[in-house]
């Protein structure tokens, strides 16, 4: 990615990108500044775009009009600042004319009705947000994630805080609920600079393998 000043993958990127592209559940631990965000965004966005293209091609082969794309990936962040930063990085990976439609943020402090309308109009492939707003949009039906293939928990240790428990439980249980188990079901990616066995164990009941 020369346009972003990146010519070689960092160690965490080299170790994780292939696993995520292979739809493996992974836990990424690396210090701040090591390239963790791109380590999950590059493969997740790539797969989301590929799956949307396959859906459209399949519909055309059957002589049908392709349906609007689904949300193929959700990134959950513990803070608005981190979510907005992730959105900015994701949009830089895309052509400028497509970035705003492919990636959408869903954070507290912004108008939820406008966010719901943007989800309906833009039909983004990737949604990045905070637990409360993502869960609110999920409950209202504005954010449909039953067929979402990727769920990324950024700063996964912080998301285990008591104030996020109800919202996180909903997102973990609803996202990817209808993914094809024969192809592995939902892919879950845990990300943290301070990943511990306790954090991984806390998510174990929600992961597929």
């Amino acid at each position: 990615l020369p346009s972003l000043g990146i010519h070689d993958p960092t160690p965490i990127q080299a170790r994780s990108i292939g696993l995520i592209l292979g739809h493996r559940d992974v836990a990424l631990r690396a210090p701040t500044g090591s390239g963790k965000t791109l380590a999950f965004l590059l493969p997740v966005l790539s797969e989301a775009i590929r799956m949307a293209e396959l859906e459209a091609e399949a519909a055309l082969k059957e002589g049908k009009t392709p349906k609007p794309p689904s949300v193929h990936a959700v990134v959950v962040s513990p803070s608005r600042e981190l979510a907005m930063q992730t959105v900015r990085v994701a949009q830089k990976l895309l052509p400028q004319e497509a970035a705003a439609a492919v990636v959408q943020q869903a954070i507290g402090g912004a108008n939820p009705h406008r966010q719901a309308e943007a989800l309906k109009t833009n039909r983004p492939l990737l949604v990045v947000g905070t637990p409360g707003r993502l869960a609110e949009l999920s409950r209202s039906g504005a954010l449909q994630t039953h067929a979402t293939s990727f769920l990324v928990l950024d700063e996964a240790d912080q998301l285990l805080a008591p104030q996020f428990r109800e919202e996180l439980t909903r997102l973990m249980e609803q996202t990817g609920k209808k993914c094809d188990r024969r192809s592995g079901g939902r892919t879950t990616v845990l990300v943290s600079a301070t990943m511990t066995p306790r954090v991984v164990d806390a998510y174990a009941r929600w992961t597929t393998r």
Side-chain angles (χ1 to χ4, degrees):
L1 296 169
S3 61
L4 296 180
I6 299 170
H7 300 277
D8 297 295
T10 65
I12 190 63
Q13 292 164 3
R15 294 180 65 184
S16 62
I17 287 176
L19 293 173
I20 298 173
L21 284 173
H23 292 241
R24 296 286 300 277
D25 288 344
V26 296
L28 309 184
R29 181 181 67 184
T32 301
S34 61
K36 291 193 304 298
T37 302
L38 281 177
F40 67 78
L41 277 180
L42 281 169
V44 164
L45 260 180
S46 176
E47 277 297 278
I49 292 169
R50 185 184 71 85
M51 288 186 287
E53 290 174 343
L54 288 175
E55 289 176 354
E57 289 173 6
L60 289 172
K61 284 182 179 179
E62 294 177 5
K64 300 177 181 178
T65 301
K67 296 179 181 178
S70 307
V71 174
H72 284 294
V74 171
V75 178
V76 188
S77 302
S79 69
R80 288 180 289 180
E81 293 75 19
L82 181 57
M84 290 188 289
Q85 176 184 324
T86 302
V87 168
R88 287 194 293 270
V89 174
Q91 291 182 337
K92 287 180 181 179
L93 299 174
L94 299 162
Q96 187 174 358
E97 63 274 13
V102 174
V103 182
Q104 182 176 326
Q105 69 181 24
I107 60 174
N111 188 311
H113 301 294
R114 289 182 180 175
Q115 290 177 350
E117 189 59 33
L119 285 169
K120 181 179 179 180
T121 302
N122 294 332
R123 303 302 294 257
L125 300 180
L126 170 65
V127 177
V128 183
T130 47
R133 183 52 53 86
L134 288 169
E136 179 183 350
L137 292 168
S138 173
R139 290 190 194 95
S140 70
L143 177 61
Q144 301 281 342
T145 62
H146 285 180
T148 297
S149 298
F150 289 93
L151 179 62
V152 180
L153 289 305
D154 201 2
E155 301 300 345
D157 51 340
Q158 295 182 33
L159 290 171
L160 293 173
Q163 67 265 32
F164 298 136
R165 184 174 294 125
E166 182 179 346
E167 290 83 1
L168 183 64
T169 298
R170 177 178 180 83
L171 294 171
M172 296 296 288
E173 292 179 348
Q174 297 295 316
T175 303
K177 187 176 181 180
K178 293 184 178 179
C179 282
D180 187 354
R181 294 294 171 182
R182 291 172 297 179
S183 60
R186 182 193 74 206
T187 299
T188 306
V189 181
L190 308 179
V191 185
S192 176
T194 56
M195 189 74 67
T196 64
R198 183 190 68 82
V199 173
V200 175
D201 289 344
Y203 288 99
R205 65 190 175 101
W206 289 309
T207 55
T208 57
R209 58 210 170 280

